Amino acid sequence: MSEPIPVSRAVDHGTAKLMPDVDRDRAWLLTVDGAPQSYVDLDEPEHLEFEYARRLGHALDVAAGPGRALDVLHLGGGALTLPRYVAATRPGSRQDVIEADRGLLGLVTEHLPLPPASGITTHAADARAWLRAAPADSADVVIADVFGGSRVPAHLTSLDYAREAERVLRPDGLYLANLADATPFTFLRSQLANFAALFEHLALIAEPAVLRGRRFGNAIVLASHTPLPTAALTRRTAADAFPARVERGTALSEFIGAARPLSDTDAVPSPEPPAGSFGIG
């Protein structure tokens, strides 16, 4: 059998590369302009290599009873890591993946094909436009992991966007977002303020070093109208190779502080990561 070789292609928003992992037979790393975007193991879709993906996976694991099929809307596709994870851990789930970069979507589906009858449908579309047209109360989970290059686009950072996501969720649904920021956390606080204005229950998962302002990094936001399973999340995230904290309640309210929701007019993209934050050698 021939060794897998890297694939490089110009896509809509940069240059995408698929690089095989020499330690796992059918595992691939996706980068865009040198920044790691996704990692997927075609033989073991339950394997989540990146820590932020593991934290999203933990949230998905406790979102409903084990193995229960869910209707999941993914805003942002990457290498379809999380849709594959849900298909493997919750068979029968119905999933829509919205990816604005048509070229990237084509590259991934061509070289890393989805398994038959996966229940995953991909759509080349803008996430905000898709939300606006989606039926109300149609999703159990909405996952936002949308980066234009290395930044979340401004039209996906406002209260108006959050309101559209809330409309699409069922009353007991769960919103998840992968964001990135650093002290003084102006962007992250504004995003939490957006969802605190709409949802009764909010939580934040991040590494202590990020929360203490020692470095730029990922943070996972959870929002729901029903109580979040924070005890189970705390156990799972604390057991990871890079343990994370789950902030909620008073501590999270204090973190948000005086931050206020942002309108479409005031919304800005997430901050540019410092050089080398997520790059590879």
Side-chain angles (χ1 to χ4, degrees), residues 177-270:
N178 175 39
L179 305 172
D181 201 0
T183 188
F185 300 112
T186 303
F187 173 73
L188 182 57
R189 294 180 205 271
S190 73
Q191 298 311 290
L192 289 163
N194 286 342
F195 286 91
L198 299 171
F199 292 90
E200 293 87 345
H201 301 276
L202 207 63
L204 178 70
I205 307 174
E207 288 182 35
V210 173
L211 291 173
R212 292 172 186 155
R214 294 178 181 172
R215 65 177 182 82
F216 189 95
N218 294 91
I220 305 301
V221 172
L222 301 86
S224 179
H225 289 300
T226 59
L228 294 165
T230 51
L233 278 173
T234 298
R235 290 192 296 269
R236 289 168 181 257
T237 57
D240 281 340
F242 295 94
R245 288 200 338 234
V246 179
E247 298 287 0
R248 62 187 178 88
T250 301
L252 189 56
S253 296
E254 291 175 351
F255 179 84
I256 296 171
R260 294 291 178 265
L262 300 176
S263 68
D264 277 340
T265 303
D266 300 326
V268 296
S270 63

Side-chain angles (χ1 to χ4, degrees):
M1 180 182 297
S2 61
E3 293 292 325
I5 60 174
V7 177
S8 180
R9 181 181 298 177
V11 294
D12 298 2
H13 300 294
T15 299
K17 293 183 180 180
L18 285 171
M19 294 179 285
D21 185 341
V22 296
D23 296 321
R24 301 176 74 97
D25 288 343
R26 297 181 69 226
W28 296 82
L29 172 68
L30 169 68
T31 68
V32 177
D33 290 340
Q37 297 289 323
S38 302
Y39 179 102
V40 62
D41 187 329
L42 298 178
D43 289 333
E44 191 181 344
E46 301 95 331
H47 175 75
L48 299 176
E49 181 77 8
F50 293 168
E51 289 302 320
Y52 86 84
R54 285 179 59 81
R55 290 164 193 151
L56 288 169
H58 292 326
L60 286 164
D61 289 345
V62 299
R68 177 187 144 194
L70 297 173
D71 292 335
V72 184
L73 175 60
H74 300 262
L75 307 179
L80 308 178
T81 303
L82 284 169
R84 298 174 202 265
Y85 179 83
V86 172
T89 59
R90 296 182 177 277
S93 293
R94 184 180 63 187
Q95 303 186 77
D96 287 296
V97 182
I98 316 306
E99 172 58 59
D101 192 322
R102 186 180 298 271
L104 178 62
L105 189 58
L107 172 69
V108 168
T109 53
E110 176 185 346
H111 290 277
L112 308 178
L114 292 165
S118 66
I120 301 167
T121 305
T122 60
H123 310 269
D126 174 76
R128 181 79 179 264
W130 185 274
L131 272 181
R132 192 176 297 120
D137 302 334
S138 58
D140 296 307
V141 184
V142 172
I143 306 176
D145 188 12
V146 186
F147 286 83
S150 58
R151 307 177 74 181
V152 180
H155 70 300
L156 303 178
T157 70
S158 69
L159 177 62
D160 306 85
Y161 155 77
R163 189 174 287 113
E164 289 171 357
E166 191 268 348
R167 182 188 63 83
V168 171
L169 279 170
R170 294 184 175 127
D172 60 348
L174 174 65
Y175 178 86
L176 299 172
N178 175 39
L179 305 172
D181 201 0
T183 188
F185 300 112
T186 303
F187 173 73
L188 182 57
R189 294 180 205 271
S190 73
Q191 298 311 290
L192 289 163
N194 286 342
F195 286 91
L198 299 171
F199 292 90
E200 293 87 345
H201 301 276
L202 207 63
L204 178 70
I205 307 174
E207 288 182 35
V210 173
L211 291 173
R212 292 172 186 155
R214 294 178 181 172
R215 65 177 182 82
F216 189 95
N218 294 91
I220 305 301
V221 172
L222 301 86
S224 179
H225 289 300
T226 59
L228 294 165
T230 51
L233 278 173
T234 298
R235 290 192 296 269
R236 289 168 181 257
T237 57
D240 281 340
F242 295 94
R245 288 200 338 234
V246 179
E247 298 287 0
R248 62 187 178 88
T250 301
L252 189 56
S253 296
E254 291 175 351
F255 179 84
I256 296 171
R260 294 291 178 265
L262 300 176
S263 68
D264 277 340
T265 303
D266 300 326
V268 296
S270 63
E272 186 76 39
S277 294
F278 301 122
I280 58 174

